[in-house]
Amino acid sequence: MKIRSLIVDDNLFNIEVLSDLLKENEGQIMVEGIATNGAEAIRQINTLKPDLVFLDVEMPDMNGFEVLASLEKIEFQTIFVTAHSHYAIQAIRFNALDYLVKPINPKELSQAISRYRSQDYAQQQKQQIKTALDNMAKKNKLDQVLFLPTQEGGIKMALRDIVKIEGDRNYSTFYLSSGKTKISSKTLGHFEEILLGKGFFRCHRSYIVNRHHIDNMLKESFLLKDLSTIPISRRRKTEAKSWFYDF
């Protein structure tokens, strides 16, 4: 079954490279159109009605999220494409969205296409895109929602509800203000990166804490509003003090 695709990128060379990779390795994917800016992308999407859009995250006139937010309906799947931009990758990973990094690796492209063909993945992506666009519209970062993909679908957690995250090797446990816990198969390092600048701080090799739930900073720990404490490692003490009092 042919898959009709649109490539959106402000660099024509990148468009050529991706088009060639799709022709050589993904014969069922037909490139029906290209767009080199956000406004053109919106016009092409409305005209061509593609099945799949390879969407550059950062463009001069608007970013990829703004393109999606400008559409009345999103009836296609999206694979984001980005350069090594920390901001763009953080935004994509925070919303648990699929992406490729330029220059595109043929193997990673094939893996992304395989995920695209999964019906379960298609349904989950709709939720993730909606969550990402809702997050964009929220002025207070604490109101943003973290999406955790699971085998059963996905878990959504408002940042203000996360008290702390505890890491244990390849797993992370979220402690919520409701008293409930949620477990993710992502490492603590993953969450440290995607929560950067959102009021969270890794104060210990095993803990990330939410500033919203801290009552005070003690000599070797943070005192939380529920009267529990979280240790602060020696090497993070100076940085923790600066973060806590400057926030």
Side-chain angles (χ1 to χ4, degrees), residues 168-184:
D168 181 12
R169 297 183 182 179
N170 294 326
Y171 291 88
S172 297
T173 301
F174 286 74
Y175 292 82
L176 307 180
S177 56
S178 64
K180 294 181 179 180
T181 60
K182 302 291 183 182
I183 298 176
S184 169

Side-chain angles (χ1 to χ4, degrees), residues 8 32 89 103 110 134-135 147 165 179 208 212 214-215 220 233:
V8 182
E32 296 287 311
I89 292 177
S110 292
D134 287 345
N135 283 336
F147 188 96
I165 311 170
I208 291 174
H212 179 65
I214 298 175
D215 184 59
E220 296 181 347
S233 66

Side-chain angles (χ1 to χ4, degrees), residues 8 10 13 32 35 38 46 61 66 80 105 115 124 132 135 142 162 164 229 242 247:
V8 182
D10 63 337
F13 175 74
E32 296 287 311
N46 289 330
D61 59 336
E66 290 169 333
F80 289 93
N105 180 294
R115 290 190 293 272
Q124 182 169 287
N135 283 336
L142 285 173
I162 302 170
K164 63 184 179 182
T229 59
S242 175
F247 189 81

